[in-house]
Amino acid sequence: MRVLVTGARGMLGRDLCDILSGGHEVTGVDIEQGDITDAEVARRLMADARPQTVVHCAAYTDVDRSESEPDDAFRVNADGAGNVAAACRDAGCAIVYISTDYVFDGRAERPYKENDAPAPLGVYGASKLAGERLVREATPRHFVVRTSWLFGAGGRNFVDTIIGLAQDRETLEVVNDQVGSPTFTRHLSRGLARVIESDKFGTYHASNAGSCSWFDFAREILRAWGDSRTRVVPVDSARLGRPAKRPALSVLDTTLFRSTFGFPMPHWKDALAEYLELKRRSAH
Ligand SMILES: NC(=O)c1ccc[n+]([C@@H]2O[C@H](COP(=O)([O-])OP(=O)(O)OC[C@H]3O[C@@H](n4cnc5c(N)ncnc54)[C@H](OP(=O)(O)O)[C@@H]3O)[C@@H](O)[C@H]2O)c1
C-alpha cells in the first residue's frame, strides 16, 4: 500500500515511517516539503505521493505555548487537519488522524471511552478536537486515533528529560496529580500498521496498557535506568504554574482498539524497558 505520513520528522512520525516501511511504500513529509495549513500545498503533497492512506501526525504540539499562540495551534491542528482530510476525500484515500487524551477534562473516575464527551481544558486539546471534527466532516473514510503521553527516540520526551535532569540534580520535583498512560511511539506505530490495513473506520483509543502519574513514571524511569541516587519528590501541578491546565486523569480505555485490530498494546513499564534498551544500545 502507498502510505503518506505527515509530520514524518516528528517523534511519532519517525518511528511510524520506519515501521510501516517494512510492508508498505511510505512517503514521509514534514514542514520542509510543505505547510499543510495551505490547502493547495496539502493537495500537492497528495498528488505527488498518490497515497491510498494518509497518517496525519503533523501538529502544533507545544501544549503550554499554544495558550499564548491559539491562532497558530488552531491553524495547524484544526485547519491543517481539515485541509489534509479534504485532500484525502478528493483523492479517494483514507486518513488516520492522530489525536490526544487532552480532548478530555480529566474529571472522570474511570478510563475514557471513545464516546465519552470531550471537554478540553486548554487550547491544544481544543485545537486537536476541532481537527477531529473537521476530519470527520470531510470524509467518512477516517480513523481518529487518540493516544497519550508519547515517548520515542525521535523527539524531546519525558524519559530523556528525566534522565538528563538527574545527571545534574540530586532531587527532582515531579507532578503527582496527573494520571495517564505513557505510550511508546514504536508500539503505537505497530498498532497503526494494523489500522491502515483495515476498513473499520471510526474513533479509537490507543495507548500502552496500565497507568501512572508523572511522578510514578519518573521514579520508574530512574529505577529502570539504574539511578538509585536521585530522589524524586511528588508535587502538585499548581506548584509548577505551567500556562496550560492538564487533565487530572486522562487514561484511555483501549478495549475497542484491541478487539477491532487484534493488537494488544504492551504495558507501559515493558514499553519503557524496551525504549531504555534502545537508548543504551544507541549510546554505544
Ligand atoms: N507527544 C505526545 O505526547 C502526544 C500525545 C497525544 C497525541 N499526540 C499527537 O500525536 C501526533 C504526533 O505527535 P509528536 O509528539 O510526534 O509531534 P512532533 O514531534 O511535534 O511532530 C510534529 C511534526 O509536525 C510538523 N509540523 C508542525 N506544523 C506543521 C505544518 N504546518 N505543516 C507541516 N508539518 C508541520 C512539526 O514540525 P516543527 O517541529 O518544525 O514544528 C513536527 O515535525 C500529533 O498529532 C500530536 O498531537 C502527541
Side-chain angles (χ1 to χ4, degrees), residues 109 162 221 237:
E109 287 171 357
I162 290 295
I221 291 164
S237 307

Side-chain angles (χ1 to χ4, degrees), residues 6-14 29-38 45 56-63 65 75-77 80 97-102 124 128 145-151 154-156 183 185 188 214:
T6 68
R9 198 169 40 79
M11 185 160 62
L12 175 60
R14 284 196 212 185
V29 292
D30 210 294
I31 191 85
E32 294 84 6
Q33 285 73 36
D35 184 335
I36 49 102
T37 63
D38 180 332
L45 292 171
H56 181 49
C57 303
Y60 180 111
T61 54
D62 191 320
V63 175
R65 195 150 53 96
R75 196 173 309 117
V76 179
N77 293 343
Y97 172 71
I98 308 299
S99 191
T100 170
D101 53 334
Y102 283 15
Y124 169 73
K128 292 293 294 184
V145 178
R146 298 187 185 125
T147 188
S148 60
W149 294 25
L150 291 181
F151 62 92
R156 260 187 52 215
T183 301
T185 47
L188 178 61
W214 291 110

